[in-house]
Amino acid sequence: MKLDAGTIATLCAGLAAFAAEVMYLWRIPPLQADLGIQVSGVLLVLWGVLLATVFAAKGLRAWWVLALTSPALIGPVLFVAFIGGCAFFGACP
């Protein structure tokens, strides 16, 4: 499969979002505080828009891009798990 500019940009944005979230979660400077949340959020939005663009252009052939960049969802998944645990099980800090 040929890699076009949109696919490469999507891969870079997804991997960068994952790296920013790991740096925030493990408290690695400089993304250890609010800056980590903001950078991760911007990169996730960029990744989502690029991913939608790639899917619109290539259809189901673009599933491998989602599979390679799915670790970028670790931040939102942890957030939803935290809110769900707090709301349904009373496990709030």
Side-chain angles (χ1 to χ4, degrees), residues 26-39:
W26 288 355
R27 297 184 179 5
I28 298 172
L31 299 179
Q32 61 187 359
D34 291 337
L35 180 63
I37 295 172
Q38 294 167 355
V39 169

Side-chain angles (χ1 to χ4, degrees), residues 1-91:
M1 176 177 281
K2 292 172 58 175
L3 292 177
D4 59 343
T7 304
I8 293 172
T10 304
L11 290 171
C12 290
L15 296 176
F18 175 64
E21 291 167 5
V22 167
M23 289 177 73
Y24 171 72
L25 291 172
W26 288 355
R27 297 184 179 5
I28 298 172
L31 299 179
Q32 61 187 359
D34 291 337
L35 180 63
I37 295 172
Q38 294 167 355
V39 169
S40 297
V42 167
L43 288 171
L44 281 171
V45 168
L46 177 66
W47 174 66
V49 169
L50 289 170
L51 191 63
T53 304
V54 169
F55 268 105
K58 295 186 177 187
L60 294 178
R61 293 180 299 155
W63 277 107
W64 67 273
V65 177
L66 177 62
L68 285 177
T69 57
S70 61
L73 294 174
I74 190 171
V77 168
L78 288 175
F79 179 72
V80 169
F82 174 74
I83 297 298
C86 186
F88 296 111
F89 303 111

